[in-house]
Amino acid sequence: MQSTEQVLSVGRVVKVEADTGRITIEHRPIWYLYMESMTMIFKVADPAMLTGLTPGDRIRFKVDRAGDGFVVTRIENTNW
């Protein structure tokens, strides 16, 4: 089993809200957070990570628990 430090989830960008530091992602199951496939709004650790992302982009991302919610700490655009 992989450490959650190395695990990147797979998804598709639905909406980018750079001004509020949020991204909506349609994602596959995230096993280490016990999440089924769904579309969800996430806060991002750094709004600069959203630069260049547009709806429809395929991404790999790292999400962690943060208080009573979740925060995306890494995003890789895999469209290329």
Side-chain angles (χ1 to χ4, degrees):
M1 187 179 293
Q2 291 181 324
S3 159
T4 60
E5 294 297 313
Q6 302 169 348
V7 175
L8 292 180
S9 300
V10 177
R12 183 182 62 82
V13 176
V14 175
K15 184 176 181 182
V16 176
E17 298 175 74
D19 56 332
T20 59
R22 300 186 323 172
I23 186 170
T24 304
I25 302 172
E26 177 185 341
H27 63 79
R28 292 191 182 151
I30 303 174
W31 63 267
Y32 64 92
L33 295 174
Y34 304 99
M35 274 188 200
E36 297 294 327
S37 295
M38 66 180 81
T39 300
M40 189 170 172
I41 300 169
F42 293 98
K43 289 191 177 281
V44 294
D46 179 2
M49 294 188 315
L50 301 176
T51 302
L53 291 176
T54 58
D57 285 348
R58 294 187 185 285
I59 59 170
R60 292 174 24 148
F61 65 102
K62 175 76 170 77
V63 61
D64 294 308
R65 287 196 188 277
D68 62 350
F70 301 95
V71 63
V72 173
T73 56
R74 180 174 164 192
I75 299 176
E76 295 177 3
N77 191 330
T78 59
N79 274 340
W80 48 293

